[in-house]
Amino acid sequence: MELLNLNIGLAAPEIVLLCGLFSVLLVDLWLNDEQRYISHFLSIGVMVAAAVAQFLTWGHDSAAAFHGMYLADGISKLGKTVVYLGTALLFVYAKPYNQARGIFKGEYYTLAMFAAVGMSVMIGAGHFLAAYVGLELLSLSLYALIALRRDSARAAEAALKYFVLGALASGLLLYGISMVYGATGKLEFAAVSEALLTQSANLWLLKLGLLMIVAGIAFKFGAVPFHMWVPDVYQGAPTSAAGLIGTLPKIAATVFAFRILVYGLAAVKADWQPMFAGLAVLSLLLGNLVAIMQTNIKRMLAYSTISHMGFILLSFVAGQMGLSAAVYYAITYVLTGLAGFGVLMLLSREDAECENIADLAGLNQRNAWYAFIMLLVMFSMAGIPPLMGFYAKFAVIKALLAAQYVWALPVAVFAVMMNLIGAFYYLRVVRAMYFEEKASDAPITGDASGRVLLSVNGLMLLVWGVFPAHLMALVAQAIDTAL
């Protein structure tokens, strides 16, 4: 009877994922390197099964499990579906790349699936402790994933930097949570919100805790001035690991911020909205200006990520319409980032890593189709119509202007100007692909399944850019069920 009271059926996707993860972990113990493809296909099957389980539990109503610590609402279901399918897609892209570098091992799949569990817990958390546990599970998995290539000093350095800075950010976040608990006597988001509305909280202690929580969230987003880990991790990690770090955690971080700040601390939004606005402006400025100077495409994408997170942070200060824009932007970035890293992994060879812009030179002469896919990725990131990235940025600017703040217009103009600057370094990649002599004559190889899915992934950026209404309506409905 106690299990029934916990409403455990709502957590079916996580249960399926954990059971499948442990199965992969056990099966992989008995496999040699020639049989590792079994772990590969089993891992993809586990992620697809988790997505199916999530789809089967999909409903229009919001519900809670584990005495309010776990929430199953629209934004939870949408976010976790993106995480599960995105992880499966990344596994397909990463297989040839990992095989060529000796990291086609069960550890890659189990660590990535543990990270997916952490993201699921973050997305579905209704309680500060549940959110923190999910965040730590994600972070610990990523630390190990970055250092998976044991013969690479650069990967070890990146993992160590991320570990040290991540531990500091986690400590700040945990200390902020303890202050919120001291101020309200509650840890459940709904209970914290109720305590603030009834004015039974110590506001000064709460605001000090809020400052630390915002710092912790900004670190997970990679926003300025908590961005110093992003370029080193992107460059140092294997591209198959960087593809995970640079994409899927962004949707988890967006929902994580939504849960804490909008669902739990909405009553003090007048305090955290200006902080988010300042972080957004700094991220847009530094991210775009420093990206111009990069010749390493992974570092360029890192600074590009910082600028994109600026747009997501701006969304949080623009009211309910902005929340829909934030989630839509995060989904857009996940799809775009997966396609971009997929192309980089496809172009990497056993003896050469595709990590400089010069490595993409003449790609149109080598393979016009993959050059076109990368062009779609770059144009989407630059916000050029009719790609998904354009509509995502348009939705953020529209929501910001609709909020009618005094400073909304100058900030919106600033964001548009920074986006125009950002278009320069994206177009530089396109110029290298189409107008420079090819850097290599090596054939582009890879699994047929990876090439097909990469093509579909790239074309989705175009299709959902031309027809964004359905996805945007789905996101808006998900936000409505969560508020």
Side-chain angles (χ1 to χ4, degrees), residues 7-22:
N7 209 4
I8 198 170
L10 293 174
E14 286 83 358
I15 294 171
V16 169
L17 178 54
L18 276 172
C19 291
L21 193 164
F22 293 139

Side-chain angles (χ1 to χ4, degrees), residues 11-84:
E14 286 83 358
I15 294 171
V16 169
L17 178 54
L18 276 172
C19 291
L21 193 164
F22 293 139
S23 299
V24 173
L25 198 58
L26 289 172
V27 168
D28 191 72
L29 291 174
W30 305 99
L31 301 177
N32 55 39
D33 288 342
E34 288 73 25
Q35 298 170 320
R36 204 67 67 187
Y37 67 90
I38 296 175
S39 297
H40 169 74
F41 289 112
L42 190 56
S43 299
I44 294 173
V46 169
M47 298 312 304
V48 173
V52 171
Q54 183 64 78
F55 181 77
L56 293 176
T57 60
W58 202 291
H60 298 294
D61 297 328
S62 177
F66 303 103
H67 303 297
M69 296 189 75
Y70 177 93
L71 300 176
D73 50 22
I75 194 172
S76 170
K77 296 164 186 174
L78 179 61
K80 286 188 288 185
T81 301
V82 172
V83 167
Y84 300 150

Side-chain angles (χ1 to χ4, degrees), residues 291-292 294-298 300 354-362 425 428-433 436 439:
I292 293 174
Q294 305 305 313
T295 57
N296 184 293
I297 192 166
K298 288 166 72 175
M300 189 203 83
C354 181
E355 60 177 6
N356 294 312
I357 296 176
D359 295 331
L360 292 166
Y425 54 83
R428 188 174 60 178
V429 175
V430 175
R431 182 179 69 84
M433 291 191 300
E436 293 183 6

